Amino acid sequence: PIVLGIETSCDDTAIAIVSADKKVLNSKVFVNRIDQQRIGGISPALSAMQHRMFIDNLIEDCLDEISCRLADLDAIAVTSCPGLVICLKVGLERAISLSRISKVPLIQVHHMRAHALSSRLIDDSVEYPFLSLLISGGHCLLVLVKNPSEFDIIGIDSTTSPGECLDKVAREIGLKSKDRHLGAEVERLARLSDDDGCLRFSIKPPSTSGADFHFASIKNSFLNLIQQGKLDKLSQKDTVDLCASLQFQVTSHLCRKLHLAFEYLQSKDILQSQSKTLVLSGGVAANKFIFKAIEKLTNFYNYKLIVPPGRLCTDNAEMIAWTGIEMMEENPNVAIPWTSLPSSIYAHDRYPIGTSIL
Ligand code: ATP
Ligand code: FE
């Protein structure tokens, strides 16, 4: 099967065509980070306008460049949740009309499930069940992935996310970057700090039950530090040390919770009989400092650690198309035939990835 993926849940307008034999036949992305820098964040209205302006051409180019006709597709997969509702709606509307025109079925995809499953597109060794830590701009989730549509939640952040924590603090200290995420800028600057830099600005670590995360606490502690005027005029050394300290606190919190989760899974004999895999995904997974810290833990607990390449860690449509393929292969009924399509599909801003088990 060949599936067209459409992703418009946030600020990236992304289209991809993927085949069941794991070939990305084509993909296109449009994103405007310069305007985001100017207005100090993502504007849902501006992003939705961007999606409306570019989506048709991106789809057309994606198909034309590989001489693929709509009728050659076996399904259209589109992100329906979670995300910015007015942005999701643009993708859903296009998917419904394309499905009608081409008489091709439509599959609704959960954005965070797709982040977790993207690993299977690039690595044949990732087999169900596996553990996935999703660390992005909107989420922090530790899940047990049982199959394409069954996820158990082990830890979740119901306050904010590591990405938002890094971005907000970075913005507060005036970091700017034209072409990359602010989180990546924090990583770059943290690398310029010396060994003790990461301990210079200490905060009280968040306390949450079980393996749940609380990145709002880290974010607020750093924002307080900065706003209390203690860090009025930051020298270059202050800035790099602050980035190192922030990155260190984010990493420690992730590792403490992961450690607890590994112990829990071991005590319940979950994942113990087969080869154990942890997949790290989401934009924050691009961070090498975080990766190295988690790698030490996975080595200790005998987990194989897999991180998809950067372009698959941040928002992309390959993962949406691929998840559509996996869902359809597991249960053909997930594909809505064009004849039964409703006039609109509900876009959810929040939608649980699964149920909590811890
Ligand atoms: P979600 O998937 O939860 O809806 P999102 O799609 O907005 O959120 P992603 O695109 O997966 O999030 O990731 C973006 C986030 O990743 C931003 O917060 C960004 O700062 C962060 N990020 C990107 N690169 C790095 C890096 N090298 N180090 C730390 N954080 C990074
Ligand atoms: Fe995402």
Side-chain angles (χ1 to χ4, degrees):
I2 295 178
V3 171
L4 175 88
I6 301 179
E7 158 61 38
T8 62
S9 69
C10 193
D11 55 333
D12 296 77
T13 316
I15 308 294
I17 302 171
V18 177
S19 63
D21 58 355
K22 301 191 173 180
K23 289 207 176 72
V24 176
L25 304 175
N26 205 356
S27 78
K28 299 271 161 204
V29 190
F30 183 87
V31 64
N32 184 344
R33 294 210 206 291
I34 295 174
D35 276 351
Q36 280 173 27
Q37 291 291 333
R38 203 168 38 78
I39 60 174
I42 293 168
S43 147
L46 270 185
S47 294
M49 194 165 76
Q50 168 198 303
H51 296 321
R52 277 194 297 274
M53 278 171 70
F54 293 98
I55 193 167
D56 290 333
N57 283 344
L58 290 174
I59 293 172
E60 206 176 303
D61 290 352
C62 217
L63 290 161
D64 287 353
E65 281 174 14
I66 55 163
S67 307
C68 180
R69 294 164 308 160
L70 278 173
D72 297 332
L73 300 171
D74 293 282
I76 294 165
V78 58
T79 311
S80 62
C81 66
L84 302 167
V85 171
I86 58 169
C87 293
L88 289 166
K89 276 185 169 172
V90 180
L92 280 165
E93 276 162 19
R94 285 307 185 280
I96 291 174
S97 68
L98 277 182
S99 171
R100 290 224 170 90
I101 295 166
S102 59
K103 303 187 167 42
V104 161
L106 182 147
I107 305 169
Q108 298 178 66
V109 173
H110 188 292
H111 181 87
M112 298 314 293
R113 289 184 176 177
H115 269 304
L117 297 193
S118 64
S119 55
R120 286 173 48 85
L121 172 60
I122 47 108
D123 196 324
D124 290 334
S125 75
V126 184
E127 283 175 25
Y128 297 112
F130 62 91
L131 201 60
S132 181
L133 178 62
L134 301 166
I135 42 179
S136 65
H139 294 83
C140 186
L141 277 165
L142 181 60
V143 288
L144 183 66
V145 188
K146 294 164 144 178
N147 63 50
S149 38
E150 211 184 333
F151 289 63
D152 284 345
I153 301 173
I154 296 165
I156 186 167
D157 192 328
S158 44
T159 64
T160 180
S161 65
E164 205 242 5
C165 168
L166 290 167
D167 293 348
K168 279 270 158 67
V169 178
R171 199 165 292 131
E172 189 67 25
I173 56 174
L175 299 193
K176 288 200 170 68
S177 168
K178 261 204 203 106
D179 48 357
R180 40 189 187 158
H181 285 290
L182 285 181
E185 193 56 13
V186 171
E187 180 181 17
R188 187 184 72 81
L189 290 170
R191 231 180 283 130
L192 304 175
S193 163
D194 56 33
D195 283 350
D196 297 333
C198 63
L199 299 173
R200 190 170 143 205
F201 300 102
S202 61
I203 58 161
K204 194 167 157 275
S207 62
T208 46
S209 63
D212 286 343
F213 305 88
H214 200 299
F215 281 97
S217 157
I218 299 182
K219 178 183 81 174
N220 292 331
S221 298
F222 274 94
L223 291 180
N224 285 339
L225 257 178
I226 298 159
Q227 287 158 0
Q228 274 163 12
K230 288 182 191 156
L231 301 173
D232 218 7
K233 273 216 170 75
L234 292 174
S235 66
Q236 173 69 7
K237 176 159 171 41
D238 293 338
T239 305
V240 298
D241 287 351
L242 194 83
C243 287
S245 300
L246 172 66
Q247 182 176 256
F248 178 73
Q249 292 296 340
V250 166
T251 309
S252 315
H253 187 44
L254 285 170
C255 287
R256 266 196 299 271
K257 294 301 179 173
L258 200 53
H259 182 188
L260 198 142
F262 284 154
E263 285 291 326
Y264 165 79
L265 292 171
Q266 203 164 301
S267 73
K268 296 280 175 196
D269 218 20
I270 300 174
L271 279 182
Q272 304 306 309
S273 50
Q274 58 262 61
S275 65
K276 299 179 281 188
T277 302
L278 172 72
V279 171
L280 202 58
S281 193
V284 181
N287 187 293
K288 296 285 180 300
F289 184 85
I290 294 175
F291 171 82
K292 280 193 195 130
I294 291 179
E295 192 181 35
K296 279 186 198 150
L297 260 182
T298 50
N299 281 343
F300 184 81
Y301 282 93
N302 240 337
Y303 276 72
K304 186 171 167 188
L305 177 60
I306 290 176
V307 190
R311 69 183 167 81
L312 280 186
C313 276
T314 50
D315 285 353
N316 65 86
E318 288 92 318
M319 68 179 189
I320 305 301
W322 172 249
T323 301
I325 291 171
E326 285 227 40
M327 288 169 68
M328 202 166 50
E329 283 184 343
E330 192 215 16
N331 174 12
N333 293 333
V334 298
I336 312 171
W338 69 277
T339 44
S340 329
L341 274 175
S343 56
S344 69
I345 292 176
Y346 202 79
H348 298 266
D349 59 342
R350 300 193 145 259
Y351 198 90
I353 193 171
T355 41
S356 288
I357 59 165
L358 178 61

